[in-house]
Amino acid sequence: MDLISILVDIAILIIILILRALYTNWLAIKLKWESSFRRGFLVNLAWIILLVVISVLIIFIAPPIFIELSLTVDEINSIYLIISFIIFIINVIIGIFIVHSFYEKEYWGSSVVSIIVVISERVIMVIIQASIYFFFQVLLTEGFYLFTPF
Amino acid sequence: MSTTIFITINIIFGYVILFGGIFLLKFFTDKFECRKPYLTAILVNVIWFLIMFFVLSFLSGLITSYLITIGADSDLFAFVNIINSVIILIMNILVIALLIKVFYKTELKDSIFLSLAVISIQVFIRIVVANVLSIIFTLTTGGYSSFYIFQFI
């Protein structure tokens, strides 16, 4: 990862954080919870930090293990498929617990907020990825919002 | 197991998840204190399914045949497919929101929230099913297959 992609990542991370905070705040208000932009921002900050830590850990830990075990490309792809799915589930679970602890509300509401945020973000990311690939012929596999492999 | 079996399983799960929307809708409307019998939830889901099945399938068919006519390349096909899926998703959210507004007499913003909740949970379950199928497919056949457009980023 070069310096430019890290800077682009950080800029995208900040924009996403603000948008997620606004969105979470709106969802919480719709659920008739006591909410503010500040609380939404803190929820998403904690959520993203945890997710970035897990993602970075895997990005740095997984490749040396694969090399040590001398896995084939097909085996590595299969493992990444499983890891990406596990990270997706962990993302939702982290979201549920963070929303629950910050808003102090029931789990079903926290699950709904967490799932809506994760799914909406995923749909938007798919559009962005597809557009970048189609218009610039660039397949972003690293450095883009840190979560790209997942 | 062949690819056809996996696709069939995925389609069956797709319909189960689609009509599972009845229970999701009933659950969320109850939580929002818009209590109505199951019949209303069934009606909303059936109308939604019919609109989706006929109108959206027709539109998707038109777009695909147009792309074939102009001899579009695979990149354009993939891109249009993704944009098409996103538009269908947004249309789904709007259609079900309008149906909730009509049948449950809620405010538009509340019905959009309810619709967003139902659709998001359905998409979440579809992603889980598609990922599990892909993992089983990879482990059993050694191949690679995607079963849902939003399965991977």
Side-chain angles (χ1 to χ4, degrees):
Chain A
M1 242 191 267
D2 59 0
L3 187 68
I4 294 169
S5 60
I6 290 171
L7 289 174
V8 170
D9 246 18
I10 292 167
I12 292 169
L13 213 59
I14 293 166
I15 294 166
I16 286 174
L17 196 56
I18 293 167
L19 292 175
R20 278 175 69 141
L22 290 166
Y23 195 42
T24 311
N25 187 32
W26 181 76
L27 293 171
I29 289 167
K30 282 287 126 204
L31 280 164
K32 299 181 178 72
W33 293 354
E34 202 179 299
S35 182
S36 62
F37 174 75
R38 190 172 161 273
R39 193 180 282 194
F41 189 83
L42 288 174
V43 165
N44 285 287
L45 188 67
W47 191 349
I48 283 181
I49 286 173
L50 265 173
L51 208 57
V52 168
V53 168
I54 294 169
S55 304
V56 169
L57 275 176
I58 289 169
I59 286 168
F60 286 102
I61 289 172
I65 294 173
F66 295 156
I67 293 166
E68 205 171 296
L69 294 171
S70 5
L71 298 174
T72 62
V73 176
D74 283 345
E75 285 167 339
I76 292 171
N77 283 340
S78 310
I79 292 169
Y80 263 112
L81 204 66
I82 297 166
I83 291 175
S84 68
F85 178 52
I86 292 169
I87 294 280
F88 172 69
I89 300 294
I90 288 174
N91 187 7
V92 174
I93 294 169
I94 288 173
I96 293 169
F97 283 107
I98 288 175
V99 172
H100 174 75
S101 55
F102 274 82
Y103 285 99
E104 292 168 351
K105 292 287 175 186
E106 58 281 338
Y107 276 108
W108 77 264
S110 314
S111 314
V112 170
V113 171
S114 172
I115 289 173
I116 292 177
V117 170
V118 170
I119 297 300
S120 306
E121 189 185 48
R122 182 167 273 238
V123 170
I124 293 165
M125 293 304 282
V126 166
I127 301 171
I128 293 172
Q129 295 266 21
S131 307
I132 289 173
Y133 178 71
F134 182 72
F135 293 110
F136 304 106
Q137 298 296 311
V138 179
L139 194 60
L140 293 159
T141 52
E142 65 167 37
F144 184 64
Y145 186 28
L146 287 171
F147 310 114
T148 311
F150 313 114
Chain B
M1 281 200 275
S2 69
T3 316
T4 323
I5 295 171
F6 280 96
I7 293 169
T8 313
I9 294 170
N10 190 41
I11 290 169
I12 292 167
F13 267 109
Y15 279 106
V16 171
I17 294 163
L18 188 74
F19 285 103
I22 294 169
F23 302 104
L24 286 173
L25 188 60
K26 176 78 177 126
F27 174 78
F28 286 119
T29 47
D30 280 358
K31 288 283 178 195
F32 261 64
E33 285 154 17
C34 323
R35 291 182 190 279
K36 291 256 180 178
Y38 260 110
L39 189 69
T40 319
I42 293 168
L43 208 61
V44 168
N45 274 269
V46 169
I47 297 172
W48 168 36
F49 172 74
L50 291 174
I51 292 171
M52 212 181 79
F53 190 80
F54 290 108
V55 179
L56 298 180
S57 301
F58 175 70
L59 284 175
S60 300
L62 267 184
I63 294 166
T64 311
S65 56
Y66 174 71
L67 288 174
I68 292 167
T69 314
I70 62 165
D73 61 357
S74 59
D75 277 354
L76 184 62
F77 253 108
F79 181 68
V80 171
N81 194 21
I82 290 170
I83 299 300
N84 198 20
S85 301
V86 173
I87 291 169
I88 287 173
L89 201 66
I90 294 166
M91 281 177 83
N92 271 333
I93 292 171
L94 293 176
V95 168
I96 204 161
L98 287 172
L99 288 169
I100 290 170
K101 186 178 156 50
V102 170
F103 282 91
Y104 288 90
K105 311 265 185 293
T106 54
E107 276 183 38
L108 187 64
K109 279 185 181 175
D110 288 339
S111 42
I112 287 174
F113 174 78
L114 285 167
S115 163
L116 202 60
V118 172
I119 300 278
S120 295
I121 290 171
Q122 285 181 323
V123 172
F124 173 74
I125 300 168
R126 285 206 67 174
I127 290 173
V128 171
V129 170
N131 269 293
V132 171
L133 284 175
S134 280
I135 290 167
I136 297 169
F137 185 81
T138 307
L139 294 176
T140 52
T141 63
Y144 175 81
S145 185
S146 168
F147 292 95
Y148 188 45
I149 207 98
F150 304 114
Q151 188 180 342
F152 308 113
I153 294 181

